[in-house]
Amino acid sequence: MNILAIGDVVSKPGLDTLRRLLRTLKKQHAIDFTIVNGENASGVGITPDQADDIFDAGADVITLGNHVYNKRQIIPYLDDCSYILRPANNAPQQPGRGWGIYDCKGYRLLIMNLIGRCEMAFGPDNPFLCADRILREQKGKYDLAVCEIHAGATSEKLAMGFYLDGRCSAVYGTHTHVQTADARVNPKGTGYITDLGMTGPLWSVLGVEPEQSIAMFRGDLTEYFRAAGGETALMGAVFDIDQSTGKCRKVTPLFERLGG
């Protein structure tokens, strides 16, 4: 079973890149299930139309992160659609769901979406205890499990990868928009990468025009951030999983460039 996870899709350039590349990549890598992080589809947040665009491009499930509610029109969509996931360790009264069980090649695939707590000002619940709770409560209802940890600290993501080693087939990180060079299979069989990277403008600072980001760090007065133009890239990883054992055999990073 090949599971493809795509890093944060940023603004219109990211959506256009996903639309142009995703279906071809799925064929090339014989992908059985695709997860796309869409929380930056509007720059910060996602609208229902943008979620529909991501599904139309070939995603099976959309995950979100700390910008989940920046576009308030997404709130009814989160309750109505079981294929879009907000962080499971957000406050329980918030709209949406943080995990789901989906069919993949006749197997029951549990996808859970967690958010880290390091430097996340809104104070989510403990993601490690939340993962324990989901796996315990859903025991016997799924065959394979995949976990996304949307976090700023590499240490928190690495710790989650080891914490769930042998309990999930794959654990991967999002949020920092920079693909890491540590794709691997952990000792007990869990595929892991600290960050998938992003899908959007290549010559940018996390998708934003470099000049604007430089101005912010210099302390200059700045305008609202604009997505950079030019060449784009799709970043992610393919997890090759032995469905009979639940162990990952290989993790292959993807970095596909598209001329601007």
Side-chain angles (χ1 to χ4, degrees):
M1 179 186 297
N2 290 324
I3 296 176
L4 171 61
I6 299 294
D8 307 47
V9 175
V10 180
S11 301
K12 186 177 184 299
L15 290 166
D16 291 343
T17 301
L18 192 75
R19 190 179 303 111
R20 292 178 63 181
L21 293 181
L22 182 54
R23 291 194 182 277
T24 298
L25 289 171
K26 288 173 65 173
K27 290 180 182 178
Q28 288 176 350
H29 295 275
I31 299 301
D32 300 301
F33 199 89
T34 302
I35 309 162
V36 176
N37 185 289
E39 75 138 7
N40 292 119
S42 286
V44 286
I46 186 172
T47 67
D49 286 345
Q50 289 164 341
D52 287 341
D53 285 345
I54 292 174
F55 285 128
D56 288 344
D60 293 300
V61 164
I62 297 173
T63 54
L64 303 172
N66 55 304
H67 295 307
V68 55
Y69 301 119
N70 281 64
K71 302 299 181 185
R72 294 291 175 159
Q73 58 266 50
I74 197 64
I75 289 176
Y77 195 105
L78 296 177
D79 284 329
D80 293 342
C81 179
S82 60
Y83 293 89
I84 185 167
L85 303 176
R86 51 91 161 158
N89 53 319
N90 277 6
Q93 70 272 23
Q94 291 184 359
R97 56 189 61 76
W99 58 269
I101 297 175
Y102 310 97
D103 179 71
C104 181
K105 296 181 69 175
Y107 289 83
R108 298 167 298 174
L109 183 61
L110 169 66
I111 309 293
M112 57 180 169
N113 186 20
L114 303 172
I115 195 164
R117 295 200 296 180
C118 296
E119 300 179 12
M120 295 293 188
F122 56 89
D125 194 8
N126 188 305
F128 293 81
L129 300 182
C130 182
D132 283 341
R133 184 172 62 252
I134 293 171
L135 293 176
R136 182 179 64 252
E137 292 177 352
Q138 301 309 309
K139 186 176 180 180
K141 300 177 183 178
Y142 67 91
D143 302 303
L144 306 168
V146 172
C147 176
E148 175 176 328
I149 172 72
H150 191 82
T154 54
S155 57
E156 191 172 18
K157 292 188 268 195
L158 282 159
M160 185 65 75
F162 284 114
Y163 189 65
L164 296 179
D165 191 17
R167 295 197 284 163
C168 286
S169 298
V171 175
Y172 62 86
T174 54
H175 179 65
T176 54
H177 292 208
V178 177
Q179 190 178 81
T180 54
D182 60 344
R184 63 188 191 231
V185 177
N186 279 343
K188 296 179 183 178
T190 294
Y192 176 81
I193 184 170
T194 297
D195 202 282
L196 297 173
M198 57 165 267
T199 298
L202 181 59
W203 304 109
S204 70
V205 179
L206 311 187
V208 173
E209 289 184 354
E211 295 77 12
Q212 284 192 297
S213 186
I214 291 167
M216 179 190 71
F217 286 113
R218 278 173 44 91
D220 301 340
L221 294 176
T222 59
E223 304 173 283
Y224 286 114
F225 282 158
R226 296 184 297 271
E231 189 178 6
T232 61
L234 180 151
M235 304 178 203
V238 178
F239 298 87
D240 176 1
I241 296 166
D242 182 344
Q243 58 261 40
S244 65
T245 64
K247 295 183 183 298
C248 186
R249 291 180 286 225
K250 184 180 180 182
V251 183
T252 304
L254 293 184
F255 191 111
E256 295 290 328
R257 295 167 73 149
L258 185 66

